[in-house]
Amino acid sequence: ADGARRVRIGDDPLAIARRARARSDADEREEKERAWARFFENAALLDEIRKDVVRTHPDLQFYLETECNLGQRRHAALERILFVWAKLNKGVRYVQGMNEIVGTIYYVLASDRNEDWAAEAEADSYFLFN
């Protein structure tokens, strides 16, 4: 019932152990291959998103600010929003242009005069985009 094989009289315990270890090694190799496949899939998705994000609203100083790396940090926020959204919505996938929508939402929310609300712009932008 628990998936364990019953040992019978005359079974070779070393052979049983070797088969179990071989299955375990194969499972481990398969899991490593799946992990690497996920890694490369995620890297490709992030690369695709990053190419678009760096071109988001190039006319807005908001995304170009060099003080305290604000522009880069804002681009990173857009990347995180779009990456998480794409991972959780695999049926739709990320497409070019989503960065403009999220970039506009994020700009409006992060520019709020209420600093407490502006501090939550990344999470709020994800929620509104979703």
Side-chain angles (χ1 to χ4, degrees), residues 52-64 75 78 97-108:
D52 291 339
V53 164
V54 297
R55 292 179 268 170
T56 301
H57 297 298
D59 53 326
L60 285 179
Q61 183 60 31
F62 179 80
Y63 289 110
L64 304 174
H75 279 149
L78 297 182
M98 289 181 173
N99 61 303
E100 296 292 335
I101 297 167
V102 172
T104 302
I105 294 169
Y106 182 74
Y107 169 73
V108 170

Side-chain angles (χ1 to χ4, degrees), residues 31-50:
E31 179 55 37
K32 283 182 183 178
E33 288 174 10
R34 282 195 300 268
W36 278 110
R38 281 191 308 270
F39 172 81
F40 287 117
E41 177 186 313
N42 289 343
L45 175 60
L46 191 55
D47 185 53
E48 182 181 355
I49 290 170
R50 194 167 278 151

Side-chain angles (χ1 to χ4, degrees), residues 15-34:
I16 294 170
R18 273 190 236 110
R19 282 194 300 272
R21 189 172 36 246
R23 279 193 302 273
S24 173
D25 290 346
D27 291 344
E28 189 176 322
R29 275 193 305 278
E30 197 173 297
E31 179 55 37
K32 283 182 183 178
E33 288 174 10
R34 282 195 300 268

